[in-house]
Amino acid sequence: MKATAKAHSNIAFIKYWGRKEETLRLPSNGSISMNLSNLFTTTTVEFRSDLNKDDVLVNGEENNAINSRISKHLDRIRMLLQKNIYAKVISQNSFAASAGLASSASGFAALTVAGVAAAGLHLSEKELSILARQGSGSACRSIPDGFVEWLDGNTSEDSYAYKLFDQSYWDLCDIVTVISKEKKDVPTSTGQQTASSSIFFQTRLNNIAQKIKTCKNLIKTKNFDEFGKLIEMEALELHTIMFTSWPSLIYLEPTSLTVMKEVKKLRDEGISVYFTIDAGPNIHIICQAKDIDIVQKRINSIPEIIETIVNQPSKGTYLLEDHLF
Ligand code: PMV
């Protein structure tokens, strides 16, 4: 059977950085995110008895570095199916992969949902999230709709994401400023392994449970300015840990700092706008729907910006009727 799924990438407000268990991808701490309407992956999977290996095409490229991780993830589905049958996979991103726009989150979420459906299996949302997590940690947060919490858990069964609020709950926007489309030198999978070498890592873990509680409460009460302050400080904390890990990780580019300073300037002018950043140079600008035009115009006036992508909160991962092959 053939199945196609569409998954949206997500932006973490409280970040996943560091793992307490490598193989199962159990994170050192829980995290909170929002799915993004305009950053998505569409994937078609078909298990076929005429294949003698997986036939994978990602963004039109046959020998993608991600292919072995895709086959490993298909192995997890084959284990559930208890059948050794290879698959044809075609996957297409709406954006540049591996530039810190969480292509692995939407990629592995789409692969999980399409793969499970193509295998004729029926899993709950929680089971899909657990399975997606093993392909790429942040992918588990792209399975449920809207605003999501990923529980760190101590076993595989305990570490999954669930919906806090659906996509229509709060009209937040994430204006992604694309500063570079280059593939990053250090993939997040490698960075996750060195997080604990930062002297600030333990301090982060000591405070994280309270921070998650506060973040959830600020979303619940829609307290935008306190929420914005919290998530901006969280992004700066993440990059402080990256700077002070060994080998140090410097994902930011000079233009990233220009954008960060412009956001602060807008704030000084009375506009409620904040930033967050993942493992890459691109800055995610978080504002309320009413301020999009003014913020976008200002950011687009920075000459080094390649493009801006406006995102609303979005659904999680779902099956489509139309296939890519
Ligand atoms: O799921 P990964 O290994 O791509 O890690 C994602 C890491 C961050 O984007 C920096 C933070 C997060 O929680 O998404």
Side-chain angles (χ1 to χ4, degrees):
M1 195 167 81
K2 200 184 276 186
T4 300
K6 181 170 172 181
H8 294 262
S9 170
N10 65 77
I11 180 67
F13 297 135
I14 303 292
K15 311 289 183 181
Y16 149 50
W17 198 243
R19 296 187 192 122
K20 58 181 150 196
E21 211 282 328
E22 274 302 309
T23 337
L24 289 169
R25 288 181 197 268
L26 296 182
S28 300
N29 57 270
S31 51
I32 295 186
S33 63
M34 175 181 98
N35 291 327
L36 301 173
S37 57
N38 283 319
L39 298 179
F40 54 85
T41 303
T42 309
T43 301
T44 301
V45 178
E46 184 177 30
F47 287 97
R48 281 171 35 172
S49 48
D50 61 324
L51 295 174
N52 54 17
K53 65 177 179 51
D54 292 320
D55 176 4
V56 178
L57 197 71
V58 177
N59 291 331
E61 282 176 42
E62 254 168 39
N63 294 315
N64 225 295
I66 199 82
N67 285 13
S68 65
R69 254 174 92 185
I70 292 178
S71 275
K72 228 170 144 185
H73 200 57
L74 291 168
D75 285 344
R76 296 184 181 103
I77 297 170
R78 285 187 272 263
M79 280 252 285
L80 293 173
L81 190 60
Q82 297 192 326
K83 206 167 164 190
N84 228 349
I85 180 166
Y86 293 103
K88 179 175 164 89
V89 177
I90 293 193
S91 184
Q92 203 60 49
N93 281 327
S94 69
F95 55 93
S98 305
L101 293 179
S103 58
S104 66
S106 53
F108 280 93
L111 180 68
T112 301
V113 171
V116 163
L121 297 165
H122 297 280
L123 300 189
S124 66
E125 181 181 279
K126 176 175 162 182
E127 288 166 330
L128 289 167
S129 178
I130 290 169
L131 184 57
R133 187 202 74 231
Q134 295 169 64
S136 171
S138 52
C140 76
R141 293 190 312 235
S142 283
I143 299 285
D145 290 343
F147 296 82
V148 170
E149 176 175 15
W150 172 11
L151 303 169
D152 56 338
N154 285 316
T155 64
S156 192
E157 287 66 38
D158 290 344
S159 186
Y160 61 92
Y162 71 100
K163 180 179 81 173
L164 291 170
F165 298 100
D166 71 24
Q167 57 278 14
S168 58
Y169 178 73
W170 200 5
D171 59 352
L172 290 190
C173 293
D174 176 358
I175 306 176
V176 180
T177 61
V178 181
I179 286 164
S180 166
K181 288 191 174 182
E182 300 280 298
K183 279 202 165 64
K184 51 191 164 206
D185 329 331
V186 183
T188 49
S189 297
T190 315
Q192 298 277 10
Q193 290 167 3
T194 52
S196 60
S197 66
S198 163
I199 56 159
F200 301 118
F201 190 65
Q202 192 52 49
T203 307
R204 168 171 173 74
L205 294 189
N206 294 345
N207 297 326
I208 202 82
Q210 183 55 45
K211 207 192 242 191
I212 289 173
K213 205 171 151 195
T214 307
C215 184
K216 284 198 288 190
N217 199 39
L218 294 173
I219 296 176
K220 192 173 168 197
T221 54
K222 299 186 185 172
N223 185 338
F224 184 67
D225 285 305
E226 285 303 312
F227 169 76
K229 188 169 142 193
L230 182 104
I231 64 165
E232 190 167 303
M233 283 172 69
E234 165 68 356
L236 293 169
E237 184 175 303
L238 170 76
H239 281 264
T240 301
I241 289 186
M242 290 167 168
F243 288 156
T244 52
S245 297
W246 192 260
S248 59
L249 282 172
I250 305 177
Y251 285 119
L252 302 178
E253 294 290 337
T255 310
S256 317
L257 296 178
T258 307
V259 174
M260 289 154 76
K261 286 182 162 183
E262 198 61 38
V263 169
K264 292 184 97 169
K265 221 159 123 194
L266 278 161
R267 223 158 44 221
D268 290 343
E269 292 167 22
I271 297 158
S272 282
V273 54
Y274 300 85
F275 63 78
T276 182
I277 324 163
D278 275 347
N282 304 313
I283 307 296
H284 292 247
I285 299 179
I286 309 296
C287 65
Q288 295 166 99
K290 66 180 173 63
D291 294 321
I292 287 188
D293 290 348
I294 185 157
V295 175
Q296 202 186 9
K297 201 166 156 215
R298 260 300 261 289
I299 297 300
N300 277 333
S301 70
I302 300 171
E304 295 87 353
I305 299 286
I306 300 173
E307 62 174 321
T308 48
I309 306 168
V310 177
N311 294 278
Q312 270 79 40
S314 153
K315 283 178 73 163
T317 308
Y318 44 95
L319 290 168
L320 297 179
E321 297 284 318
D322 292 338
H323 305 300
L324 296 179
F325 61 90

